Amino acid sequence: MTHDVIGLKRVATLCILKNKDKFLLLKRLKEPNKDMFVPVGGKIDPFENPDDAVVREVMEETGIHITSKKFCGILTETSPVKYNWISYVYISDIEFVEPPYCNEGELQWIDAKDLATIPTPLTDLYIYDYVSKGDIFAFNAVYDAELNLISLQEQYSNTVIR
């Protein structure tokens, strides 16, 4: 029997899959972030660490076994409703493959220059910016009850972004 406590943080991993100037992103079928393009990832299982979880999640969602990955930062998301996450964010350079089937949505290669023109969570654009510069980050995102982003702060540099 599981009891979801509203407001309790869920812990997850996200992996930005990259080949040269393209990203393999998932257009999600369901909430959260339905119809938006996001990195692949998911919840960390009990007794699992983030490094193992990101490899497992990439394999489950894409069939791709990543052999190298780099930790990029942490995204903490807080809202007064059920959407509350701590996500460990990684990047992995992979070989180009035709986008495989994924039961979570449709995988597509997106050019880096097009990231700002596709539907994606606002926080992800800041993540891509920091990752492209090689900067580690600890983002703290706060949402209202309708899940509109009301503030975003980068904790290492104590920079208010939004």
Side-chain angles (χ1 to χ4, degrees):
M1 179 185 300
T2 61
H3 298 311
D4 284 341
V5 177
I6 294 177
L8 186 65
K9 295 278 191 267
R10 295 178 183 198
V11 184
T13 62
L14 296 173
C15 190
I16 300 166
L17 298 173
K18 184 175 185 267
N19 178 270
K20 298 179 182 159
D21 62 346
K22 295 184 183 297
F23 297 94
L24 186 60
L25 298 177
L26 175 67
K27 185 176 182 184
R28 288 189 52 85
L29 283 175
K30 53 189 173 181
E31 295 298 344
N33 300 318
K34 184 180 187 317
D35 296 327
M36 291 191 178
F37 288 89
V38 298
V40 297
K43 293 182 211 116
I44 297 175
D45 286 341
F47 310 106
E48 186 176 41
N49 67 56
D51 281 354
D52 292 341
V54 75
V55 172
R56 177 185 54 75
E57 283 289 342
V58 170
M59 177 60 86
E60 286 178 4
E61 293 190 6
T62 68
I64 298 168
H65 177 69
I66 55 173
T67 55
S68 66
K69 63 193 173 307
K70 179 183 174 193
F71 175 73
C72 300
I74 294 176
L75 170 63
T76 302
E77 297 175 289
T78 305
S79 81
V81 293
K82 276 185 132 180
Y83 192 78
N84 289 275
W85 294 89
I86 297 173
S87 298
Y88 291 79
V89 181
Y90 294 82
I91 189 166
S92 182
D93 288 309
I94 63 170
E95 295 294 320
F96 182 86
V97 296
E98 287 302 315
Y101 168 81
C102 178
N103 64 355
E104 300 281 331
E106 182 183 354
L107 291 163
Q108 293 181 33
W109 285 104
I110 307 293
D111 284 341
K113 66 179 175 33
D114 295 330
L115 289 172
T117 67
I118 60 171
T120 190
L122 187 55
T123 53
D124 291 12
L125 294 176
Y126 295 104
I127 289 171
Y128 299 138
D129 182 51
Y130 272 69
V131 168
S132 72
K133 294 186 279 188
D135 293 342
I136 196 164
F137 58 85
F139 288 130
N140 184 18
V142 178
Y143 300 88
D144 64 18
E146 287 77 43
L147 298 182
N148 298 305
L149 183 64
I150 55 175
S151 71
L152 181 63
Q153 183 173 7
E154 199 291 309
Q155 304 285 268
Y156 284 130
S157 62
N158 201 29
T159 303
V160 175
I161 297 172
R162 183 179 170 101

